[in-house]
Every structure is written in C-alpha cells, then in structure tokens.
C-alpha cells in the first residue's frame, strides 16, 4: 500500500491541492533545522534517543514526486509516530543567503511503512536539484515532539515532463491554435557568418545542435535534443514569411516538401509564453527511423501529419499542400543536417527585432493559458 502523500508542515494548501491532501493529518509545527537549532517556542521537546535514519534511498522519481526509504536501528523504533523531511532546492551558496532559518522547508507525515511517496506540485518542480534529510519523531501527549538527529543529507534531481504531462500541454495549445493558413517554405534566419562557417567547415550542411533551455522548465527536449531550428509562420496579408527577424539578417529558405513529407514524423515538444500575449509551440520534425525520431518516440506525443492543429502536410490533386496554425508562433526543430544547396540564402529587407528572440527564454509560470498543474 502506498504511503500517504505529504503536505507542507507549515501552511494550509491552496485549493488545487485539496484533492491531493484530503484525509491527511496536517501538523502546524515548527521544526528545528539540520544543525539542530530551534526557533523560540518551537514546540519540540529536548532530543531523546530515537533511531536516526541512514542509508537513504530515492527512487521512482518523476517531475513532481519521488519515493524515499531508509534504514534505522530497531531501538525505540516503536516510539516513532512521525517522519520529518527537510526538502530544499539545491542552491549555490550565495543565492539564498538572506533566507531566515525559521522559514519552513519541512514536510511532516505520520510514520508509515516505507518507501513513502512524496508528491506535490506546490513544492516540487521538474528538472530541479534538491537536497533531502530525514528525522524520526515521537509526538507526546502535550503536543510536543521528541526528535532524532538529522540523517545525512543526500541530493537528487526531479525528472522531465512525461508524455502524460506533455499531452496536457498539447491539449492547452490546441485550444488557442486558431485557423490554419497555407505555407510553402521553411526558413532559418542567421547572421552571414553562420552561413559562411557552414560552407567552409561543414561541407555546406547546417548541423544539428543541442536545444537551449528556453520554454517549459520540464521539457524533455531542452538541453538534450539535437536539431536545427526553422520557422514557418507567414504574414496574414501576403502568405509569405515576415521580413523581420530577431536572429540575423540572412535567411535560408527551403521548399516545405524537402523537410516535411510522409517520410517525416512530427512530434509536439512544448507550449510556452514569455510574459507576452502571444504563445509559442515547439514541434519536432524527424525523418522516420533517424536518431532524432527514436529520441522523440520515447518522450514526446506524436502528431498525425495530415490532421493536427499546428502543422499539416497532405496531398491534394497529386500536390503536397501545407498549413500552419495562425494564432501561435511555431518553432520547428528538424533533427538531421540540412544542405544549403537544397534552398537559397538571401538578405532580408526588414529589421532585426531582438525582443522576439526566444534564446534561453524563461516561461511565464503564472500564465493560465500555457501552464499545467505540475511543478513549474
């Protein structure tokens, strides 16, 4: 039987958490820190001999939960009524220097069979490093606690979004995608030096590079998937790519069918905004059977290339026809090298709008449109 889920020891949960924490016993207590210091009126009795947890093990890690277990001596084991868990984000030594020691970071749960599941999107974030230490405790008749010494401190990192979480993001993105507009080319904007370097050092072929950390913090493609970014959005009045760009004054254009066709798989990668009214959707195009395709197949929701809300490829009267969503900005990652000879490179006439750059852009965690109910 899985252990009860833990609730924050010092505050009442907000309404989204009510379902998660119902039937739990919440304890309004202040706990001593890992150094054994107690705040005044802490409500914790002087330390008595209780078994100290050791050999702590973390398992079944997801983006917003983990299981924890440990060993402890049998002496006084029957006196244990609660476990105190000190869970903290792993910070660099200067980032949190003004934090007061009495700020609660502790979780409390009744002593239950181990392993215990710690779950809760209101205090766990995906792809985040944490430290954890444990105490055993015995609640006295007067409400005070006798506690053991703290265990050793161990470190772990939460996981990326799963396909289930990405499907939730996908469904939110579908709501605002808007009607579909025709497109004929994919394009990539860069500085002239980029294309010169590609010709001189890579035999004319643009090479995939590791995606940066822009977008959702839990996205499984950030810092892992290798690909080449392309755009495909068109101007409503002309049906052509916009002349402005945040990424450079030179543009590579390639006919859509050379990258996107029935031999290409399409995946949903992310949905986010950067404190703006417009939203971005990241799609991944991977040639069938390629390394990029295998990477995505395990981690991302796959889209039907003929029928989805973002980017479609279908045949009409023997000709391939392409459409893109009007109301989101699509960022398309192609996972294989692309030879410049397959398209054209030319200087654009518009402006370089740096404000539109998404390089390492941070997602707005408060946006109700593009966030899901797991850790940010």
């Amino acid at each position: 039987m899985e252990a009860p889920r833990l609730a924050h020891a010092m505050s009442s949960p907000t309404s989204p958490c009510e379902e998660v924490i119902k039937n739990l016993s919440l304890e309004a207590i202040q706990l001593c820190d890992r150094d054994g210091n107690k705040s005044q009126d802490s409500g914790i009795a002087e330390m008595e001999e209780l078994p100290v947890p050791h050999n702590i093990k973390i398992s079944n890690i997801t983006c917003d939960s983990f299981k924890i277990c440990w060993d402890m001596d049998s002496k006084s084991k029957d006196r244990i009524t609660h476990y105190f868990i000190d869970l903290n984000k792993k910070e660099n030594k200067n980032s949190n220097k003004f934090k007061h020691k009495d700020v609660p970071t502790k979780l409390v749960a009744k002593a239950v069979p181990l392993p215990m599941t710690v779950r809760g999107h209101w205090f766990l974030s995906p792809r985040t490093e944490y430290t954890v230490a444990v105490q055993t405790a015995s609640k006295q008749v007067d409400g005070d606690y006798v506690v053991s010494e703290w265990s050793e401190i161990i470190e772990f990192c939460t996981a990326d979004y799963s396909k289930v979480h990405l499907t939730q993001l996908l469904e939110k993105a579908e709501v605002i995608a808007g009607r579909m507009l025709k497109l004929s080319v994919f394009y990539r904007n860069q500085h002239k030096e980029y294309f010169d370097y590609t010709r001189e050092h890579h035999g004319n072929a643009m090479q995939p590079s590791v995606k940066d950390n822009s977008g959702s913090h839990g996205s499984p493609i950030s810092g892992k998937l290798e690909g080449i970014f392309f755009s495909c959005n068109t101007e409503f009045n002309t049906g052509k790519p916009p002349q402005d760009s945040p990424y450079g004054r030179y543009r590579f254009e390639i006919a859509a069918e050379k990258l996107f066709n029935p031999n290409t798989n399409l995946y949903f990668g992310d949905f986010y905004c950067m404190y703006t009214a417009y939203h971005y959707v990241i799609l991944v195009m991977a040639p069938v059977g390629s390394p990029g395709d295998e990477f995505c197949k395990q981690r991302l929701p796959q889209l039907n290339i003929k029928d989805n809300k973002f980017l479609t490829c279908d045949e009409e009267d023997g000709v391939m026809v392409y459409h893109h969503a009007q109301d989101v900005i699509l960022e398309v990652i192609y996972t294989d090298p692309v030879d410049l000879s397959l398209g054209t490179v030319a200087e654009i006439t518009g402006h370089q709008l740096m404000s539109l750059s998404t390089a390492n852009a941070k997602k707005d965690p408060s946006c109700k449109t593009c966030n899901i109910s797991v850790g940010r």
Side-chain angles (χ1 to χ4, degrees):
M1 180 176 177
E2 185 176 83
R5 297 170 179 178
L6 299 181
H8 201 294
M10 294 296 294
S11 60
S12 297
T14 56
S15 56
C17 306
E18 290 174 356
E19 180 63 24
V20 175
I21 65 165
K22 67 181 181 180
N23 301 324
L24 292 183
S25 173
L26 303 184
E27 306 289 346
I29 60 173
Q30 281 185 303
L31 309 179
C32 60
D33 61 32
R34 292 172 179 173
D35 299 323
N37 302 315
K38 300 177 199 170
S39 59
Q40 195 170 6
D41 302 322
S42 66
I44 299 179
E46 289 299 317
M47 187 176 295
E48 295 180 12
E49 289 294 328
L50 281 175
V52 180
H54 61 273
N55 194 25
I56 296 172
K57 294 184 178 67
I58 303 291
S59 61
N60 296 78
I61 300 171
T62 72
C63 69
D64 63 348
S65 70
F66 63 92
K67 285 188 176 182
I68 185 170
C69 66
W70 56 83
D71 299 329
M72 52 188 169
D73 297 332
S74 58
K75 181 182 177 183
S76 301
K77 193 173 180 179
D78 57 346
R79 293 176 50 223
I80 298 172
T81 61
H82 290 79
Y83 302 135
F84 296 163
I85 299 178
D86 186 15
L87 181 68
N88 290 282
K89 284 186 179 180
K90 185 181 176 184
E91 312 275 4
N92 66 53
K93 61 183 180 181
N94 295 319
S95 64
N96 212 20
K97 61 183 178 181
F98 297 112
K99 178 178 173 182
H100 194 278
K101 282 192 172 183
D102 288 340
V103 174
T105 57
K106 315 300 187 292
L107 309 172
V108 60
K110 289 185 176 178
V112 294
L114 300 175
M116 172 190 302
T117 297
V118 179
R119 187 190 314 275
H121 71 264
W122 65 99
F123 57 79
L124 281 171
S125 296
R127 197 185 282 203
T128 302
E129 291 185 327
Y130 288 91
T131 62
V132 64
V134 187
Q135 281 178 314
T136 58
S138 176
K139 190 172 184 179
Q140 309 299 293
V141 292
D142 60 0
D144 283 351
Y145 285 83
V146 174
V147 295
S148 73
E149 295 180 359
W150 282 108
S151 70
E152 75 272 24
I153 298 170
I154 65 166
E155 301 175 359
F156 71 98
C157 185
T158 46
D160 298 332
Y161 285 157
S162 67
K163 277 189 180 180
V164 171
H165 299 118
L166 286 171
T167 299
Q168 294 174 20
L169 269 183
L170 166 61
E171 291 168 352
K172 279 180 162 281
E174 288 175 336
V175 172
I176 70 161
R179 69 170 181 159
M180 304 290 279
L181 301 177
K182 277 191 175 182
L183 69 104
S184 59
V185 299
F186 291 101
Y187 55 97
R188 175 170 172 78
N189 298 299
Q190 279 288 345
H191 299 285
K192 182 177 182 295
E193 292 75 13
Y194 168 83
F195 295 110
D196 290 341
Y197 188 88
T198 296
R199 294 185 186 98
E200 294 170 15
H201 297 277
H202 293 298
N204 215 45
M206 294 185 291
Q207 299 297 310
S209 59
V210 177
K211 184 194 171 296
D212 66 11
N213 288 314
S214 60
S216 299
H217 190 54
S219 174
I221 62 177
S222 293
K224 296 180 180 179
L225 177 68
E226 293 188 357
I228 305 169
F229 265 107
F230 285 92
S231 299
C232 65
N233 291 80
T234 59
E235 291 182 321
F236 178 77
N237 57 339
T238 67
K240 296 181 179 180
Q243 281 300 307
D244 299 323
S245 166
Y247 300 111
R249 294 191 55 81
Y250 282 77
R251 173 174 294 168
F252 171 73
E253 284 191 11
I254 184 170
E257 61 266 22
K258 292 184 178 179
L259 297 185
F260 191 30
N261 53 61
N263 293 318
T264 311
N265 281 332
L266 183 68
Y267 299 90
F268 173 82
D270 202 2
F271 177 45
Y272 69 100
C273 71
M274 303 178 296
Y275 303 89
T276 56
Y278 42 88
H279 281 79
Y280 294 83
V281 168
I282 298 180
L283 303 176
V284 182
M285 295 191 303
V288 174
S290 66
D293 189 33
E294 293 304 313
F295 177 95
C296 294
K297 196 172 293 183
Q298 299 173 34
R299 297 168 176 83
L300 306 180
Q302 186 170 351
L303 303 177
N304 183 334
I305 66 171
K306 294 182 178 181
D307 183 20
N308 67 79
K309 299 289 187 181
F310 311 110
L311 181 65
T312 60
C313 161
D314 205 357
E315 187 175 332
E316 296 180 10
D317 300 323
V319 178
M320 299 305 295
V321 178
Y322 298 87
H323 291 84
H324 71 87
Q326 173 185 347
D327 294 335
V328 292
I329 300 175
L330 295 179
E331 298 181 302
V332 181
I333 301 176
Y334 189 75
T335 61
D336 274 11
V338 177
D339 199 292
L340 293 177
S341 65
L342 296 175
T344 60
V345 177
E347 188 173 3
I348 61 175
T349 59
H351 302 286
Q352 188 169 339
L353 303 176
M354 295 307 296
S355 62
L356 294 179
S357 173
T358 61
N360 290 306
K362 299 304 180 187
K363 181 174 182 175
D364 177 1
S366 65
C367 178
K368 292 181 171 58
T369 300
C370 62
N371 281 292
I372 56 177
S373 58
V374 293
R376 305 293 184 249

